[in-house]
Structure formats: C-alpha cells, structure tokens
Amino acid sequence: MPRLPADRVREALLHPDAEARRLAFDYFTDALRPDPAAMATVIEAVKRYGRKEAFGLRVGDAELGLSPEAVRWALGELRVAPRGDDDYYHREVARLLAEADPDLLAPAADEVLAAPGLGADAAARIKRRLALRAKDGDELWADLDALCRDHAKTENGWEFPWEHGYDLVEALGRQGGRHAPRVMDLLAVAAGEDAAAAFWRETLVVRLAGVLRHEPAVPLLIAKFEADAEILSEEALGALTRIGTDATVAAALVAYRAAPWEVRLYLGGVFGNVRSAAALEAGMAAARGEEDDEQRSHLTVGVVGQLSTEGNDFARDYLATAGDDIEVLSVAIPACALTGQDYPELPAWRAALAAPRRAYHPPEPPTAVRRGPPPITRDDARVGRNDPCPCGSGKKYKKCCLPHSTG
C-alpha cells in the first residue's frame, strides 16, 4: 500500500492509542502546511481524550490554520484564567490564536483580546500582527531591518525577539511573490560572512523564502547549512519543508550525498518532513547509502513518519540488523497500528520499547572545518525544542518531556 491518504491520517488523530494519535499529529505538524480539516480533528481529539491525554499538551504545535469554528473553540478554552497545571495548556491555546491569520481574528479582535486566559504576551502579539496588516512592503522591510540592527550586539539566539521577526515575515509573506526578487538577492549573501545584525536578517529572510514557497531559492537555502549555525540551519530546514516540491526533495538528495555529517542531519529532515512519495523514496535511498548509524536511524524515523506500508517494511529490515533502536521503535510500532501491519516482531519491539532506558549521550559528530566567523547559536545550557530529550527516550524534547516540564 502507498502512503496513507491524508483523510486516513486525519482519522488517525482520533485513534484510541495515544502514540498512534501523536504520530498522526506529527505527520501534519512537521510538514508545516496549513490543514484546517486536520485542526478540526485535533480539537475533536482534545474534547474526546482530554487536554493532556490527546497529544501530550502539544496543541500549540498544531499550526494548521484556524477556521472561525476553531477560533470559537480556542476562546472557549480561554474563557477563564489558568490555574496550576492548566497554565501550560492555556499558553499553548493562546499561541494558536497569536499565530492565527490576523484577518480571521480582526472581526472578533475585542473579544479575543479580552479572553481571561489569553495572557499578556499573546495579547501583545495579536495586537502587533493586526497592526502589521496596514503596512506596505517597504515599511515592513524597514521594520525588519530596524529589528535586526537593534540587536546587532546580541550574540545569543535565545535573546533575539524571534516572535516579532516571525510576525514581520508573516506579514511580508501575505503580500505574495512581489518580495521574491529581494529575498533572492539577500539569500545570495555568502553564509556566515556578515555581522550579527545581518545574521538575524539572513535567518529571517530564509524563513520568508519558505513562507513564499519560492522554489528558485532552494539551492541558496541548501547552501545555508554550510554556515554551521544552528538557528540558521533550523530555518533553512523549515523553508525547504514549506517549499516541499519534488524538485526540492531531489536537490536535497543530491546535496546529501556529498554533505558533511552535520549538514546531512538537516537534509535528512527534508525527507522526513515533506509529505510526498518523492520524499519517501529519497529517505530510503539516502539511508541505503548511509554508513553512519546515527544518520541511518534519523533517516529511518523519517521514512516511517511518511506512514506507508513500504516505509514500515523498510524499518523492519533496518531493525533486523540495527537491533533495538528506541527512536525507530517509538514510531514504527504506532505506524504499524495505523497501516494495519501485524509483523511477528511486534511483541518483541514493544518489550524492547518498554524496557528501562539507558542514559542518552548525543553522538559526537566528526570534526568539520568551520567556515566564516564563530556561529551564532543558542545557549548550550538550555535544551532546545528540537534537541534530543534529556530523559533518554530518543525523541525530540518538544515531543517528549517539554510539555510536562514547563510550568
């Protein structure tokens, strides 16, 4: 059977098994594509299974596009101020509203901003996004440049006002392809050779290329991985995912085969995040030619995440030689539940997944030659949303312990 059709994956958001629901949730959220029908099913799952049980309090990751009905639901969830354990959930719902289409929120802006559980930060962001609708392209570019100049001395990514920058990118993206030539000019600046202010601008422009889904930018986006800057690489991966064409996947596969270890880790994410037959084939092709165990594991997780019988067969063959890869097992077992495949190995897989976990130690990548000045990255003292979870589950932090560790 080919990849599960989207309507089947939407149905899986209501699956009685929590891990199967969350795998279906990741299928939509990792793709970075609006899907209001999936969002409606996410809401139904929250109603059916509960705020925490449905998707582990990750409802804010469901950037799938809100309908008027979804806005009404969100306002209902925020009708009272949060207390205790509800605080994180309320912030996640408030994030959905803060990142919603401002044109959708505008008719009910007073009601939205008056919601008791909205919170000051989300309210301020909604006000800003509503105000940005009135600005023309030149004003938005001037605001983006000013924001980056104001943080010319900021060297820690955690201290940059990303939400403000993302709101400016969203506003520019809403104006369409007229900004594509300027995006291409700015992307052509050699990666890593600018000062801090230009780095922040470069990173936001990379995001804009993805928001515009501008396919001609793909070679320039792939080149950004060479800068060895985590924030820039994360945005480049997101941009390539948003563009998501078969040509994008093909270019990523060509680059993957000649890329150093760190770059392959990001390019492999393209094959896992883009939802297409081409991405599935590219992920399997990359894994077959990969000699590094960590990379093969990462690629196999992406292959399974495409939700196809072929991908599960691939993972079965991989596990037969790789042993109990916890990260692969954690997606392969629920994936089989969704595709209806009943391998004789499943009981052993479940037992291995349930066994006590050993402490997780991230692998040391091979030494690489750094180009340009020292990269601007995050503070290593903090665990990033996309980092391996410190609990040792093998999952990303945002998909494991983050919802339960944020008070």
Side-chain angles (χ1 to χ4, degrees), residues 7 91 93 124 147 176 195 209 211 241 314 318 386:
D7 59 345
R91 278 185 278 140
V93 175
L147 179 70
V211 170
T241 299
F314 185 90
Y318 165 82
N386 291 304

Side-chain angles (χ1 to χ4, degrees), residues 312-313 315-317 319-320 324 329 333 336 341-353:
N312 289 346
D313 288 343
R316 182 189 187 190
D317 292 341
L319 289 166
D324 296 335
L329 288 173
I333 294 171
C336 288
Q341 290 164 281
D342 189 15
Y343 297 132
E345 299 94 334
L346 275 169
W349 290 358
R350 293 189 183 99
L353 193 60

